[in-house]
Amino acid sequence: MDEESGAGTPHGSARPADPADPTGGRRRARHCWSAFRHSPFFPATVLVLIVAAAAGLFAGSYTYAMANPTPHNIPTAVTGVPESEIKRAEFVQGMERALGAELRLRHFATYEEARNAVEDQRVYAILQDRHHAAELDVSGASGATVAQLLTETAPQVGKEIGIPVVVRDVNPLQKGDPRGLALFYITLASVIVGFVGAIQLSVHARELNPAERIAFTAAYSVLGGFTIAAIVDWGLDAVRLPFAESWLILALTMFTSGMVFTMFNALFGRWAMLPTWGLMVLLGNPSSGGAVSWPLLPSLLGEIGRWLPPGASVNAQHTAVYFRQHQHFFPFAVLMAWAALSCTVFWIWRHRHPGGRETAGTAAAAS
């Protein structure tokens, strides 16, 4: 009789689920979710989803920016008085049709002024008229992809309209860097190693106090920048660098990248890698102009790339190597602004950074 009435059920055992009691099912679901949230499986599952998404975004961002570079507008200098305005207009229109882009013509009174504009990186080519012919001077150092497009397109267009076109590269890339990618690679190395170094400090030197963390970030940046420049220039002889200036740029880039991660680590804790990766790698490197010149990037990337640390670093390094007398302050200002912002935010919210050690003062205050 006890068995039939259920009196024999052990005390404290769970009762069978009652289909008519939905609140019991919700309680069990909340309990399971709470147990999962506080287990090591929750962050592991989140990381699985994040890594999968990051892989797709990484491939997508680089493919979007670099797989099929298309010019939107190419600043071009024009000098001299053409024998036939109609022919020159016909040539320019033919170039624009072939390129699918606009040649933004800028008129200069003399060839020397036009060359100065090339050295100042305000134009990418110089168009001149030469007695029933045209001469197009390109600058491979200004952008290898742009120069290649112009070199391939101009003779074809000239042939179509009956104008011989002579193309020459007045500022070629160095022999050890025929594709113009070496500067992009050394910048990429400084960016990635910069924030990886900060990650390693947060893991293996967790007890560093804020000022010490900034100091050690600066230390590995100075040494890392020297190592990159020395191997690329002295070791591989790939690119002849203005060593001191290139070293400074690489060190500043590594420090900025490291402090960007440190800032996000103070703001977001263990998830700091997400905004760092998004800003510096997914967005910053494809828009830097290092692998594909800015005129060939999608217009939005071409505009914002100059304002991000990777783009500023490529810009400064590129000018230092190929246009030494025309260096601009702007890319250095961008790097220093990001470094100052990161250090300031980290310092203000340093109490939230998952690191540091207890000093005598803080121990006394706590007691």
Side-chain angles (χ1 to χ4, degrees):
M1 178 176 178
D2 286 342
E3 292 178 1
E4 293 177 356
S5 62
T9 303
H11 180 70
S13 63
R15 293 181 178 274
D18 184 358
D21 182 18
T23 58
R26 286 196 291 269
R27 281 196 299 271
R28 282 190 296 276
R30 286 196 296 269
H31 174 73
C32 292
W33 172 249
S34 177
F36 176 67
R37 280 288 305 272
H38 294 88
S39 74
F41 302 109
F42 176 71
T45 301
V46 172
L47 282 174
V48 167
L49 298 176
I50 289 174
V51 170
L57 290 172
F58 182 72
S61 65
Y62 277 73
T63 302
Y64 174 67
M66 302 178 185
N68 185 26
T70 303
H72 299 279
N73 57 73
I74 302 176
T76 304
V78 178
T79 64
V81 180
E83 183 175 329
S84 171
E85 290 283 354
I86 298 177
K87 282 293 185 183
R88 189 184 74 180
E90 190 178 353
F91 176 73
V92 171
Q93 291 170 3
M95 288 288 291
E96 291 177 340
R97 283 195 303 270
L99 293 170
E102 176 189 1
L103 294 183
R104 282 195 298 163
L105 302 181
R106 299 182 180 180
H107 294 263
F108 294 89
T110 64
Y111 180 79
E112 288 70 25
E113 292 180 2
R115 274 302 301 269
N116 188 66
V118 170
E119 295 294 323
D120 208 32
Q121 300 181 72
R122 289 181 286 133
V123 298
Y124 285 79
I126 304 173
L127 176 61
Q128 302 177 88
D129 292 286
R130 290 281 189 262
H131 300 295
H132 306 290
E135 186 174 290
L136 185 67
D137 290 351
V138 300
S139 174
S142 299
T145 44
V146 174
Q148 181 181 355
L149 278 175
L150 293 174
T151 301
E152 294 173 351
T153 305
Q156 298 175 3
V157 173
K159 186 177 181 180
E160 291 175 1
I161 63 175
I163 295 180
V165 179
V166 177
V167 181
R168 61 173 183 165
D169 192 340
V170 295
N171 196 2
L173 293 162
Q174 295 185 20
K175 292 182 179 180
D177 185 27
R179 303 296 299 172
L181 295 176
L183 302 185
F184 172 69
Y185 291 144
I186 65 175
T187 299
L188 182 63
S190 63
V191 167
I192 292 180
V193 176
F195 66 73
V196 168
I199 293 172
Q200 294 305 304
L201 283 182
S202 69
V203 173
H204 300 291
R206 185 180 180 86
E207 294 184 349
L208 288 175
N209 284 329
E212 297 166 344
R213 190 171 299 277
I214 294 174
F216 275 92
T217 302
Y220 76 64
S221 299
V222 171
L223 291 177
F226 176 85
T227 304
I228 294 173
I231 289 177
V232 171
D233 190 343
W234 302 343
L236 300 177
D237 197 26
V239 181
R240 296 186 306 277
L241 300 174
F243 197 87
E245 186 174 1
S246 291
W247 178 10
L248 169 65
I249 296 166
L250 290 168
L252 183 56
T253 303
M254 288 187 70
F255 178 76
T256 301
S257 182
M259 289 311 304
V260 164
F261 172 82
T262 306
M263 171 185 69
F264 285 136
N265 202 16
L267 295 176
F268 303 113
R270 62 182 177 180
W271 302 112
M273 185 60 181
L274 292 180
T276 304
W277 184 263
L279 178 70
M280 304 298 285
V281 177
L282 293 184
L283 183 60
N285 282 324
S287 65
S288 67
V292 176
S293 303
W294 278 322
L296 304 186
L297 288 173
S299 55
L300 180 60
L301 288 181
E303 289 298 323
I304 66 176
R306 297 170 171 84
W307 297 91
L308 298 178
S313 182
V314 168
N315 191 358
Q317 197 73 254
H318 179 252
T319 305
V321 173
Y322 290 108
F323 306 95
R324 299 185 186 184
Q325 305 304 318
H326 295 261
Q327 182 63 274
H328 304 284
F329 178 69
F330 175 75
F332 292 92
V334 171
L335 287 171
M336 289 187 290
W338 276 100
L341 173 66
S342 301
C343 289
T344 301
V345 172
F346 165 60
W347 191 261
I348 293 173
W349 277 279
R350 61 190 182 277
H351 61 282
R352 298 181 53 180
H353 191 275
R357 62 184 181 276
E358 193 177 73
T359 62
T362 57
S367 61

